[in-house]
Amino acid sequence: SQQGEEDPQALSIQEGENATMNCSYKTSINNLQWYRQNSGRGLVHLILIRSNEREKHSGRLRVTLDTSKKSSSLLITASRAADTASYFCATVKTGANNLFFGTGTRLTVIP
Amino acid sequence: GAVVSQHPSWVICKSGTSVKIECRSLDFQATTMFWYRQFPKQSLMLMATSNEGSKATYEQGVEKDKFLINHASLTLSTLTVTSAHPEDSSFYICSAGIREFGTDTQYFGPGTRLTVL
């Protein structure tokens, strides 16, 4: 399976704290993307990082990519209750356009 | 821009019936559409990739005769779950792909929850 793995599976933090989620994958990639999904809803694209990039920022989000370790991390700073959702990484293999999703991290931010 | 809709948003059907789910790109043309399935508290699993005017490419383990995909136009793809059974109950999500700034980007629909009784 090309599916990646994320850890932790679940994370519960207090509002204002930072949340870090990790993603590992198996194949060489063109890019890696992070998505957010509220319960029972569709996916919202958060950020894309290309294989030749090491770090990217977008608002309170910071993504890192280590292609040598085949891993990525998503950091959400100063978390808010509204950040409560499931977060998925997804990879695009080199030479392909399919997305393969990680197992997801369920984040709960306690007000 | 880049809005993808799905219809219906939820459907309940009896075992043995067929259900059609539509996926539309509302304000752009998508040469490629993707269908995913998501079981409760699990990740999205790619079922198939469809290109306008050609047969869909199914992932390993996905029965093409059970999950019929039609991509008749650049803005519409349909997934038909034939002879649905309770184990087909799941959240089905489509996405529409476009090429932006040299990168293939997928925009996701809101999903369709299928419950088979």
Side-chain angles (χ1 to χ4, degrees):
Chain A
S1 169
Q2 296 170 3
Q3 186 180 48
E5 290 187 5
E6 290 179 59
D7 78 274
Q9 289 186 354
L11 178 62
S12 184
I13 59 173
Q14 294 289 332
E15 198 166 33
E17 294 180 339
N18 296 341
T20 300
M21 291 159 263
N22 302 297
C23 167
S24 61
Y25 56 91
K26 298 176 183 176
T27 66
S28 62
I29 62 171
N30 178 285
N31 64 72
L32 183 145
Q33 304 176 33
W34 285 90
Y35 288 83
R36 165 199 169 114
Q37 183 182 36
N38 285 63
S39 181
R41 302 288 187 89
L43 274 72
V44 175
H45 182 264
L46 296 177
I47 197 165
L48 179 153
I49 186 166
R50 292 184 172 82
S51 60
N52 61 352
E53 297 175 312
R54 292 295 167 259
E55 188 171 312
K56 208 161 182 181
H57 297 254
S58 177
R60 293 185 295 114
L61 306 180
R62 173 176 164 248
V63 168
T64 63
L65 179 65
D66 187 336
T67 52
S68 66
K69 295 181 180 178
K70 291 187 169 55
S71 67
S72 173
S73 68
L74 170 67
L75 168 68
I76 304 175
T77 60
S79 64
R80 305 166 182 168
D83 294 330
T84 294
S86 290
Y87 292 82
F88 295 93
C89 69
T91 54
V92 176
K93 275 175 55 181
T94 304
N97 62 354
N98 299 350
L99 278 171
F100 290 94
F101 283 83
T103 49
T105 294
R106 187 180 300 274
L107 173 67
T108 302
V109 181
I110 303 166
Chain B
V3 176
V4 177
S5 70
Q6 278 184 244
H7 178 81
S9 55
W10 59 270
V11 57
I12 301 173
C13 69
K14 292 183 178 179
S15 187
T17 60
S18 294
V19 175
K20 180 187 281 189
I21 303 170
E22 291 186 351
C23 176
R24 292 181 186 272
S25 57
L26 297 185
D27 49 2
F28 66 100
Q29 293 182 330
T31 52
T32 306
M33 287 187 170
F34 304 85
W35 287 95
Y36 297 84
R37 179 168 52 183
Q38 184 180 31
F39 292 107
K41 297 186 179 181
Q42 294 189 25
S43 186
L44 280 76
M45 297 299 292
L46 178 67
M47 298 175 66
T49 303
S50 75
N51 292 295
E52 184 261 340
S54 62
K55 290 183 179 180
T57 301
Y58 290 81
E59 293 299 305
Q60 194 172 10
V62 178
E63 299 174 59
K64 62 180 181 180
D65 295 329
K66 174 130 183 102
F67 299 99
L68 301 178
I69 292 172
N70 185 279
H71 193 163
S73 76
L74 289 172
T75 59
L76 173 64
S77 177
T78 60
L79 167 69
T80 301
V81 183
T82 61
S83 186
H85 291 283
E87 58 265 30
D88 298 323
S89 297
S90 188
F91 194 53
Y92 291 87
I93 304 177
C94 74
S95 70
I98 57 172
R99 193 158 184 88
E100 290 182 320
F101 312 110
T103 300
D104 291 313
T105 301
Q106 291 186 32
Y107 291 95
F108 285 81
T112 296
R113 184 162 302 284
L114 170 64
T115 302
V116 185
L117 303 177

